[in-house]
């Protein structure tokens, strides 16, 4: 929780005596000599009151003058309300319990969105039988949802900055829920493909949820919140296969979508009643309107003074920025590819777990239970970040300049290698009971992959937020785009990959992925040791570095609390 900065009471040019209100004593009785009439006590008291009133008015005038000098005044005389002036109305000043209540609801929403993408895999066999098409054709419905989800994240983000997080999330959840209905009642597979595509485009996803974190915590204070939301993102993707096996065994394919709808409607209702608006621009506009209604006619919010607020060129520029940064910023490109590859692994595992654990005669339900090991890996990774984050946050509170953004990658140096280790181990423990391998062995290596996957997503997002400041939404947007896009492609190649590489297809497929993971983890070490030099050549990072130096030197806002 942030503390509201103290507003100066008087002009700094005043002396200390002028800043301190001293009660004026009653005037002494004046006899004007021995025989003079005593001055009226009432008249003297009124004079003292008049003098105090005049002094008070002068001080108020000085205060008003000083406030006007420090406020953002446009050439036409309008005063623009700033975050410092309305700090108590913004998400930064929410009490800790309120912040984490909001974040818990967002956690559930993020799980719901990722459930929509992963639960579909458990309906593939039933859909193939019902529509008389191949299972590979059915997977188009999973692929187009994930790829559309990647674009949907970026399409919704700028509107949440302009119109607010609350209405955008409500509209997104409403549309996603609507598209579940024709999926559940689809008369043909073409309807399924189109509605899954529209459902993906309607998903606001991580771009808005990460924006809400930025609304309530400063970059130096938001690591715990980021870790929590990242946990919901990766955790949601594994909920599908865990419960999907039970749904697939006991219910027909229609219920795959009805359950997605039930979960979606529930989280939308909870969001509607328990989550307020957090976007600073929207809250400033509301406060400015309230001040005008209360008599301050010349105060305006930041959005109210903008011209051509929804100009197509402006919106297009905002939409294209994440893709521009993804292509031309080496840090964003390589770390997003790493993060995207890790996420694609999980969706590849959605297909590899079945043939691997069938060797030990696991039923469909037990194959779903096997995914609990990945959930355990995510929990271990999340917990492992807590002491690391705590130590860094305390250091930044003492000295905001003491850590470079690359410090956010430190723990990743130790956790990222678990990805290739886990893949190689999973590969050659997939030989099955015929080679005297126990089923617990591939599960242990799967948990190691999960630890690396969470750590990669968490550390890369955290690093980009710190390195790119106000452009962090675009930087992390590129990261999220890569994850969803590559996961969508993985939905199509995973089954052929694990079935068409010869007699040891299961083993060689994971070995191939392990070799690729070695290559994509190398940039982590490059950026950790040479990140400052790379950022020095980035126009975005240079601008942020200069602004950060100025902000730390000039602002008087106290540090917030998680």
């Amino acid at each position: 929780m942030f503390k509201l900065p103290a507003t100066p009471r008087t002009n700094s040019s005043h002396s200390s005596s002028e800043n301190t209100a001293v009660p004026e004593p009653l005037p002494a009785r004046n006899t004007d000599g021995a025989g003079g009439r005593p001055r009226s006590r009432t008249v003297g008291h009124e004079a003292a009151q008049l003098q105090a009133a005049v002094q008070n008015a002068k001080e108020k005038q000085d205060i008003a003058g000083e406030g006007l000098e420090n406020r953002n005044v446009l050439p036409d005389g309008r005063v623009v309300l700033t975050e410092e002036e309305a700090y108590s109305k913004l998400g930064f000043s929410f009490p800790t319990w309120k912040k984490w209540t909001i974040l818990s609801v967002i956690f559930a929403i993020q799980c719901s969105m990722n459930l929509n993408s992963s639960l579909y895999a458990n309906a593939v066999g039933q859909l193939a039988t019902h529509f008389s098409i191949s299972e590979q054709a059915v997977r188009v419905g999973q692929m187009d949802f994930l790829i559309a989800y990647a674009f949907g994240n970026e399409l919704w983000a700028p509107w949440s900055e302009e119109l607010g997080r609350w209405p955008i999330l409500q509209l997104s959840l409403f549309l996603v829920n609507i598209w579940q209905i024709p999926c559940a009642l689809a008369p043909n597979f073409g309807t399924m493909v189109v509605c899954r595509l529209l459902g993906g485009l309607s998903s606001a996803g991580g771009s808005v949820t990460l924006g809400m974190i930025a609304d309530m915590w400063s970059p130096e204070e938001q690591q715990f919140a980021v870790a929590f939301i990242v946990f919901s993102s990766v955790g949601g993707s594994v909920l599908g296969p865990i419960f999907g096996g039970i749904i697939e065994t006991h219910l027909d394919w229609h219920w795959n979508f009805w359950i997605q709808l039930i979960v979606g409607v529930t989280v939308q209702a909870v969001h509607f009643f328990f989550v307020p608006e957090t976007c600073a621009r929207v809250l400033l506009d509301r406060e400015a309107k309230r001040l005008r209604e209360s008599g301050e006619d010349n105060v305006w919010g930041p959005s109210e003074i903008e011209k051509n607020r929804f100009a197509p060129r402006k919106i297009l520029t905002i939409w294209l920025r994440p893709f521009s940064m993804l292509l031309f910023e080496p840090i964003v490109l390589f770390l997003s590819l790493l993060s995207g590859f890790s996420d694609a692994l999980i969706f590849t595992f959605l297909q590899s777990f079945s043939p691997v654990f069938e060797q030990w005669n696991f039923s469909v339900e037990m194959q779903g239970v096997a995914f609990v090991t990945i959930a355990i890996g995510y929990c271990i990774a999340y917990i492992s970040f807590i002491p690391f984050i705590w130590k860094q946050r305390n250091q930044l509170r003492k000295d905001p300049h003491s850590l470079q953004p690359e410090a956010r990658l430190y723990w990743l140096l130790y956790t990222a290698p678990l990805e290739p280790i886990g893949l190689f181990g999973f590969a050659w423990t997939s030989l099955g009971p015929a080679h005297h391998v126990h089923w617990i062995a591939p599960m242990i290596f799967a948990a190691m992959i999960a630890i690396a996957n969470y750590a990669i997503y968490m550390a890369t997002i955290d690093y980009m937020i710190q390195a790119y400041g106000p452009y962090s939404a675009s930087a992390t947007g590129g990261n999220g785009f890569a994850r969803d896009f590559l996961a969508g492609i993985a939905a199509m190649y995973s089954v052929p990959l694990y079935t068409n590489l010869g007699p040891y297809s299961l083993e060689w497929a994971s070995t191939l992925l392990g070799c690729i993971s070695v290559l994509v983890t190398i940039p982590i070490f490059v950026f950790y040791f040479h990140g400052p030099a790379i950022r020095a050549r980035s126009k975005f990072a240079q601008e942020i570095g200069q602004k950060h130096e100025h902000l730390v030197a000039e602002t008087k806002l106290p540090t917030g609390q998680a």
Side-chain angles (χ1 to χ4, degrees), residues 47 86 94 158 193-194 199 299 304 379 481 532:
F94 287 171
V193 171
V194 171
V299 178
E304 295 177 307
C379 292
F481 176 83

Side-chain angles (χ1 to χ4, degrees), residues 57-77:
K58 289 177 66 177
E59 289 183 358
K60 285 184 177 180
Q61 187 175 10
D62 289 340
I63 293 171
E66 181 188 9
L68 191 58
E69 290 173 2
N70 292 333
R71 301 182 79 177
N72 185 6
V73 183
L74 299 178
D76 60 6

Side-chain angles (χ1 to χ4, degrees), residues 210 213 222-231 458 461-462 465:
L210 286 173
I213 293 175
Q222 63 188 219
Q223 283 178 286
F224 282 117
V226 172
F228 188 66
I229 291 301
V230 169
F231 185 48
M458 166 59 193
I461 289 288
D462 194 27
I465 289 173

Side-chain angles (χ1 to χ4, degrees), residues 111-353:
C111 285
S112 170
M113 290 181 177
N114 285 278
L115 178 70
N116 294 339
S117 64
S118 60
L119 189 59
Y120 179 90
N122 289 94
V124 167
Q126 294 175 332
L127 289 171
T129 301
H130 181 81
F131 292 113
S132 301
I133 56 178
S134 68
E135 291 189 358
Q136 187 68 2
V138 173
R139 293 188 184 94
V140 171
Q142 186 175 19
M143 178 196 69
D144 72 345
F145 180 90
L146 285 165
I147 292 178
Y149 188 105
F151 286 96
N153 274 336
E154 308 311 319
L155 296 176
W156 286 101
W159 297 109
S160 74
E161 297 287 348
E162 295 293 336
L163 302 177
R165 317 290 188 193
W166 192 91
I168 290 301
L169 264 182
Q170 275 293 310
L171 180 59
S172 170
L173 291 168
F174 174 77
L175 292 175
V176 170
N177 292 334
I178 287 295
W179 298 124
Q180 299 288 9
I181 298 174
C183 283
L185 303 174
N188 53 64
F189 188 65
T191 302
M192 179 76 67
V193 171
V194 171
C195 292
R196 290 285 291 176
L197 177 72
L198 294 173
L201 284 174
S202 301
S203 301
S207 58
V208 176
T209 55
L210 286 173
M212 294 182 70
I213 293 175
D215 294 337
M216 296 186 287
W217 284 275
S218 69
E220 291 78 13
E221 295 288 328
Q222 63 188 219
Q223 283 178 286
F224 282 117
V226 172
F228 188 66
I229 291 301
V230 169
F231 185 48
S232 72
S233 181
V234 296
S237 65
V238 81
L239 288 178
I242 289 175
F243 294 103
I246 301 172
I247 296 170
E248 182 181 355
T249 302
H250 299 284
L251 300 170
D252 65 21
W253 66 268
H254 301 278
W255 277 100
N256 188 287
F257 301 98
W258 291 130
I259 289 173
Q260 293 179 48
L261 177 61
I262 291 169
V263 174
V265 169
T266 301
V267 297
Q268 183 181 1
V270 174
H271 176 267
F272 184 92
F273 290 108
F274 294 102
V275 177
E277 181 58 66
T278 61
C279 183
R281 287 169 62 89
V282 174
L283 294 178
L284 287 174
D285 290 342
R286 290 180 182 176
E287 178 63 10
K289 182 178 180 181
R290 187 192 68 80
L291 290 173
R292 289 198 302 273
E293 291 174 350
S294 64
E296 296 188 44
D297 297 333
N298 209 29
V299 178
W300 301 85
S303 298
E304 295 177 307
I305 63 168
E306 282 191 17
K307 295 181 179 179
N308 301 320
R309 183 180 173 190
F310 299 109
R313 184 173 182 179
K314 177 183 176 182
I315 297 298
L316 183 63
T317 300
I318 297 174
W319 275 343
L320 292 179
R321 186 182 294 151
F323 304 103
S324 174
M325 294 186 74
L326 181 62
L327 293 175
F328 300 111
E329 286 288 316
I331 292 174
V332 178
L333 174 61
F334 287 104
L335 292 185
S336 295
L337 287 176
L338 168 64
S339 184
F341 174 76
S342 297
D343 201 46
L345 283 178
I346 300 302
F347 282 89
T348 303
F349 274 172
L350 293 179
Q351 309 302 327
S352 69
F353 263 46

